[in-house]
Amino acid sequence: MSKDMAFTDVSFGVRGNCGMCKKTIEKAANGVEGVAKATWDVDKKKIDVSFDDTKTDVMTIHNAIAASGYDTEKVTGSEEAYKNLPDCCKYDHSMMMNQSGEIKAEVH
Ligand SMILES: [Cu+2]
């Protein structure tokens, strides 16, 4: 019996700016029972989550992140929580998610 078989891996877009955002976002995702690992990429605006699908589901994770003030691909972040974020973390709501992470030349 392999324990690893129980885990499902997902990635989805989450908006944020900096290392503090990373802490908040990952803390929110890891706070969901059944989440084994959550890693948010500041450049890609994307989170990788590994979770036990007998204990939770993807939408629960989206909702937990949104409750911490951050927009995900599917759920808009709580405005109340957003207001309480440090100024450096007040990300742009029109920010692209799931970016390549490569530094691109601006096209004008
Ligand atoms: Cu931040």
Side-chain angles (χ1 to χ4, degrees):
M1 290 260 272
S2 170
K3 269 191 163 180
D4 292 344
M5 295 301 287
F7 289 98
T8 303
D9 294 311
V10 288
S11 324
F12 53 84
V14 180
R15 295 194 170 103
N17 288 341
C18 65
M20 268 164 71
C21 298
K22 181 173 163 71
K23 278 195 190 137
T24 309
I25 293 164
E26 291 177 357
K27 192 177 157 212
N30 280 309
V32 176
E33 202 202 335
V35 170
K37 204 173 142 209
T39 311
W40 182 73
D41 190 308
V42 63
D43 296 317
K44 295 180 183 169
K45 316 299 179 196
K46 180 177 154 249
I47 195 165
D48 294 313
V49 188
S50 181
F51 66 98
D52 181 342
D53 63 13
T54 64
K55 288 191 177 152
T56 191
D57 55 46
V58 182
M59 280 317 292
T60 304
I61 302 165
H62 277 272
N63 286 324
I65 295 168
S68 75
Y70 290 90
D71 290 343
T72 78
E73 271 173 35
K74 291 191 176 148
V75 185
T76 305
S78 153
E79 265 183 54
E80 216 33 59
Y82 179 87
K83 273 187 229 155
N84 292 324
L85 293 176
D87 282 343
C88 65
C89 293
K90 290 197 165 51
Y91 60 88
D92 181 349
H93 286 287
S94 61
M95 177 189 284
M96 269 188 40
M97 292 186 243
N98 289 312
Q99 297 180 20
S100 66
E102 289 160 26
I103 297 161
K104 304 168 272 206
E106 291 279 334
V107 181
H108 292 284

